[in-house]
Amino acid sequence: METETESEMLNTYFSNGAEVEISSDEDGFRGAWYEGIVVRPIQKKQRRNKDDDDDESSNKLRVLVEYKTLMADKKGKRPLKEAMTLVQLRPRPPPERRRKFKVSDEVDAYYNDGWWEGVVMEVSSDGKYSVFFRGTRDQLEFEESRIRIHREWANGEWTPPFGDEGEEKKKEEHEIQKFISTETKPNNEAAEIFSEGSLVEVSSDEEGFEGAWFVATIVKLLDNGNYLIEYQTLRNNDDTAFLQEETDRLHIRPRPPDIGSFESFKVLEEVDALHNDGWWVGVISKVLKGQRYKVYFKVSNEELEFKHADIRLHLDWTNGKWVRASQALKL
């Protein structure tokens, strides 16, 4: 029987015929959201005995969806249908007015029939935007009409929230949903936040490391604007010292602030889990006894068990601020 949270989410957002966006774990499709509709929920298999409880695939609530842009046949006449878990679905974002974007804005760009998360790197004189995609290391140019503000959806809320009076005004009204560990500093932000000796977290695009943040120390600021960092948990190939490597500003952030401990986490709550010497972004998929949790990782399509002490609330570092996707928090 699905949890109360899953049941509420299904009835509120993913009822039959609901318009949704779908994420996929298949190679070549990760990091994108595709438009579709909910066909119907899929009844879970009945367990024959208690030992079958280990079969996690039979215990997940799944929803049959139909894509609007992906087809099952080569002629493009039969829409693709797939069974998805709730963590792979979100409501279709409501329409919003056109707007201008600036360098460093986090956006979704419509490409190859889906919305892909990226960062605006350049704004051309003719109004086009050059967007960098961390997952593929590509940088492509888009018209304004094919870009939207990047938003996260968790626990029934969008962050940043939608507004009809302009994004900046709504952001101020919802400032309680955000908190800042370091003030935003124009132009010289990197020099002041990421100085030599600063403790930071670093991400990697190498295969097998996507979706993880590793603790490191900045050794040196390089002339090309990048940073020489030394990891605190990863060692070099001959295991004689901690690994050092060069990284750029898109792969580095301050360490998340200590916001205190939580008594428990909830199903579908976005978290970081300590695994293989790094913090990996995942979603609570099941609450177990003894303050233990099952965490689902979309990038690797894995579900692993963690104790409470090895999980922290997931935060995003955006425009010099730490932002939580749903609940309001204060330092």
Side-chain angles (χ1 to χ4, degrees):
M1 181 176 182
E2 68 264 25
T3 66
E4 181 179 358
T5 300
E6 287 180 326
S7 178
E8 291 176 352
M9 298 290 281
L10 181 66
N11 294 333
T12 304
Y13 302 105
F14 307 121
S15 58
N16 295 2
E19 292 194 342
V20 295
E21 289 191 341
I22 309 155
S23 65
S24 175
D25 298 315
E26 295 186 15
D27 290 339
F29 294 90
R30 293 172 183 166
W33 290 90
Y34 295 89
E35 296 177 0
I37 60 172
V38 171
V39 178
R40 58 178 171 83
I42 298 176
Q43 297 296 325
K44 293 180 290 185
K45 299 177 182 178
Q46 296 295 323
R47 296 196 298 270
R48 295 181 180 177
N49 53 61
K50 293 182 178 179
D51 294 336
D52 290 340
D53 188 51
D54 293 334
D55 183 8
E56 294 297 335
S57 64
S58 66
N59 289 327
K60 292 180 182 178
L61 175 62
R62 293 181 179 272
V63 176
L64 182 65
V65 298
E66 180 179 285
Y67 291 89
K68 289 187 176 182
T69 58
L70 301 183
M71 299 295 158
D73 59 328
K74 293 183 179 180
K75 294 182 179 180
K77 294 183 178 180
R78 184 162 55 92
L80 176 64
K81 293 182 179 180
E82 284 188 321
M84 296 292 179
T85 61
L86 293 190
V87 294
Q88 295 174 283
L89 302 177
R90 67 183 188 184
R92 184 179 179 182
E96 57 183 305
R97 65 178 180 84
R98 293 274 292 274
R99 58 164 293 166
K100 299 295 182 181
F101 302 92
K102 59 182 184 297
V103 173
S104 81
D105 275 350
E106 293 190 8
V107 297
D108 296 333
Y110 193 78
Y111 178 68
N112 279 353
D113 300 320
W115 291 98
W116 299 76
E117 180 182 352
V119 178
V120 175
M121 302 299 291
E122 298 177 16
V123 181
S124 64
S125 57
D126 59 357
K128 294 183 179 180
Y129 299 89
S130 182
V131 178
F132 174 76
F133 302 96
R134 285 179 53 184
T136 60
R137 309 292 296 174
D138 290 329
Q139 188 164 323
L140 304 174
E141 195 172 76
F142 293 88
E143 300 281 351
E144 181 184 299
S145 60
R146 300 178 75 82
I147 300 178
R148 68 186 186 189
I149 285 290
H150 174 71
R151 289 180 167 87
E152 298 288 342
W153 189 84
N155 297 333
E157 296 183 10
W158 290 99
T159 300
F162 285 88
D164 54 5
E165 297 294 333
E167 295 297 330
E168 294 303 321
K169 182 176 180 180
K170 281 297 180 181
K171 285 180 181 179
E172 293 176 0
E173 294 174 358
H174 290 79
E175 194 63 25
I176 192 172
Q177 293 181 296
K178 301 179 180 181
F179 55 95
I180 307 169
S181 62
T182 308
E183 291 183 0
T184 305
K185 300 177 177 62
N187 300 326
N188 63 347
E189 176 185 344
E192 297 192 30
I193 297 178
F194 304 123
S195 57
E196 293 182 9
S198 296
L199 200 60
V200 295
E201 290 188 345
V202 181
S203 66
S204 173
D205 294 323
E206 292 186 21
E207 185 176 356
F209 291 91
E210 305 98 324
W213 290 90
F214 297 89
V215 180
T217 302
I218 295 179
V219 177
K220 185 179 180 181
L221 307 181
L222 304 177
D223 293 337
N224 61 2
N226 291 344
Y227 308 90
L228 177 64
I229 58 97
E230 180 178 278
Y231 291 98
Q232 293 197 345
T233 56
L234 303 181
R235 300 184 69 84
N236 57 20
N237 290 333
D238 54 10
D239 199 27
T240 57
F242 287 107
L243 177 65
Q244 291 190 358
E245 68 178 11
E246 181 178 336
T247 190
D248 58 35
R249 63 184 178 88
L250 294 172
H251 295 80
I252 191 171
R253 69 183 190 183
R255 288 212 68 188
D258 182 4
I259 57 176
S261 60
F262 286 76
E263 293 184 1
S264 63
F265 295 96
K266 299 176 294 185
V267 172
L268 298 182
E269 194 162 28
E270 198 170 16
V271 297
D272 298 334
L274 186 59
H275 179 62
N276 284 346
D277 299 318
W279 290 96
W280 300 75
V281 182
V283 176
I284 299 291
S285 56
K286 190 175 183 181
V287 178
L288 307 174
K289 294 181 180 180
Q291 284 202 312
R292 302 187 73 87
Y293 305 88
K294 288 281 190 178
V295 179
Y296 172 75
F297 302 96
K298 185 172 68 173
V299 171
S300 60
N301 195 25
E302 290 182 297
E303 191 174 41
L304 303 176
E305 183 177 320
F306 293 89
K307 58 185 178 180
H308 185 86
D310 291 334
I311 298 177
R312 70 186 186 188
L313 192 69
H314 175 69
L315 306 172
D316 289 309
W317 176 250
T318 304
N319 297 327
K321 298 180 181 181
W322 286 108
V323 178
R324 182 185 177 185
S326 55
Q327 254 176 289
L329 289 176
K330 296 181 180 179
L331 285 176

